[in-house]
Amino acid sequence: MNFEEFKNCGLRRSLNILSGKWKPLILQNLFEEDRVRFVELWRNMPRVSKKVLAEQLKQLEKDLIIERTEVHNFPPEVYYKLTERGQKLGPILSELHSWGNGLA
Amino acid sequence: MNFEEFKNCGLRRSLNILSGKWKPLILQNLFEEDRVRFVELWRNMPRVSKKVLAEQLKQLEKDLIIERTEVHNFPPEVYYKLTERGQKLGPILSELHSWGNGLA
DNA sequence: CGGAATCCGGGAGGATACTG
DNA sequence: CAGTATCCTCCCGGATTCCG
């Protein structure tokens, strides 16, 4: 396989989607709780600026991995959850986790 | 899961190992041919400078994913192949590939 | 609370030249 | 052939401030 073939292959797309300093941690939280509020997410990763967190969420949303739901209140409430497609990542990330721990 | 727990988890380690613009393509080549010479690798990705290619290879070697073998000739010959650990990545990357193509 | 707007620094990656 | 050695560019992520 050369670069031209690689450009449009699924592996590259997947890794592009996952690449982003905070995306794996975001997904991890969504696998655990299945519906998480912006501020809860932010509390679990207090070293991110809210700008960056919002960016990563937007990208995941655009890639159809997560869904955003807004409750029109004041103060506003915004929830994020995995899409069906996002949930299918679960087993794969779990294997990567095991592999990274030397268990596989 | 918060950031402190995430820092040392297997998922993060795995994605760190895979992150690098050319690493997935390098691995793809090694899965296909099982023993590849530096220059062959380089021909398959002519847009990389040799410096960068060497860097990525060094990192994969340090992470024990690939092995370097040098034949002391002139001109020199250097071969790269997957380690046992590296080969275990195969099925996982294959699933990521399918997922990225919307097949899973 | 959940962002958007602005500014900024560091580091990954690229271009080129050289060497054993 | 298989790399180093320099130099440079670009952009991701961080810090801060402001808004509905």
Side-chain angles (χ1 to χ4, degrees):
Chain A
M1 177 180 283
N2 58 39
F3 181 65
E4 296 307 318
E5 295 162 24
F6 181 63
K7 269 195 313 188
N8 290 4
C9 90
L11 177 57
R12 194 197 185 207
R13 270 200 293 278
S14 303
L15 290 174
N16 278 348
I17 289 174
L18 293 176
S19 82
K21 186 166 177 182
W22 301 97
K23 288 182 190 173
L25 183 49
I26 291 172
L27 295 176
Q28 198 61 40
N29 273 267
L30 290 176
F31 283 119
E32 288 169 3
E33 290 193 39
D34 136 303
R35 175 181 183 262
V36 183
R37 205 169 158 180
F38 185 92
V39 70
E40 301 170 16
L41 225 36
W42 188 66
R43 281 196 233 283
N44 274 349
M45 38 193 111
R47 296 139 170 268
V48 214
S49 66
K50 286 191 285 182
K51 172 206 148 196
V52 172
L53 178 55
E55 279 173 0
Q56 307 263 310
L57 287 167
K58 260 191 186 171
Q59 293 174 25
L60 288 172
E61 193 192 357
K62 161 182 124 308
D63 289 327
L64 308 177
I65 311 305
I66 64 175
E67 268 171 12
R68 203 184 87 108
T69 312
E70 188 170 354
V71 180
H72 291 285
N73 274 350
F74 196 89
E77 297 175 42
V78 176
Y79 294 92
Y80 291 91
K81 63 190 282 281
L82 292 167
T83 61
E84 203 173 320
R85 175 165 179 70
Q87 299 194 21
K88 289 181 181 158
L89 262 178
I92 305 180
L93 296 187
S94 171
E95 290 178 60
L96 273 175
H97 182 81
S98 299
W99 183 85
N101 279 329
L103 307 173
Chain B
M1 177 179 283
N2 59 40
F3 181 65
E4 296 307 319
E5 295 162 23
F6 180 63
K7 269 195 313 189
N8 291 4
C9 88
L11 177 57
R12 196 199 184 205
R13 270 200 292 278
S14 304
L15 290 174
N16 279 347
I17 289 174
L18 294 177
S19 83
K21 185 166 179 184
W22 302 96
K23 289 183 191 173
L25 183 48
I26 292 172
L27 295 176
Q28 198 61 40
N29 274 267
L30 291 176
F31 282 119
E32 288 169 3
E33 291 193 39
D34 138 303
R35 173 181 184 262
V36 183
R37 207 169 157 179
F38 185 92
V39 70
E40 301 171 16
L41 226 36
W42 189 66
R43 281 196 233 282
N44 275 348
M45 39 192 111
R47 295 140 170 271
V48 214
S49 66
K50 287 191 282 181
K51 172 205 148 199
V52 172
L53 177 55
E55 280 173 1
Q56 308 261 312
L57 288 167
K58 262 192 184 169
Q59 292 174 26
L60 288 172
E61 192 191 358
K62 161 182 125 303
D63 289 327
L64 307 177
I65 310 306
I66 64 174
E67 269 172 11
R68 204 184 88 108
T69 312
E70 190 170 351
V71 180
H72 290 285
N73 275 349
F74 196 90
E77 296 174 43
V78 177
Y79 294 92
Y80 291 91
K81 63 190 282 279
L82 292 168
T83 62
E84 203 174 322
R85 177 164 180 68
Q87 299 193 21
K88 289 181 181 157
L89 262 178
I92 305 180
L93 296 188
S94 169
E95 289 178 62
L96 272 175
H97 182 83
S98 298
W99 183 85
N101 279 328
L103 307 175

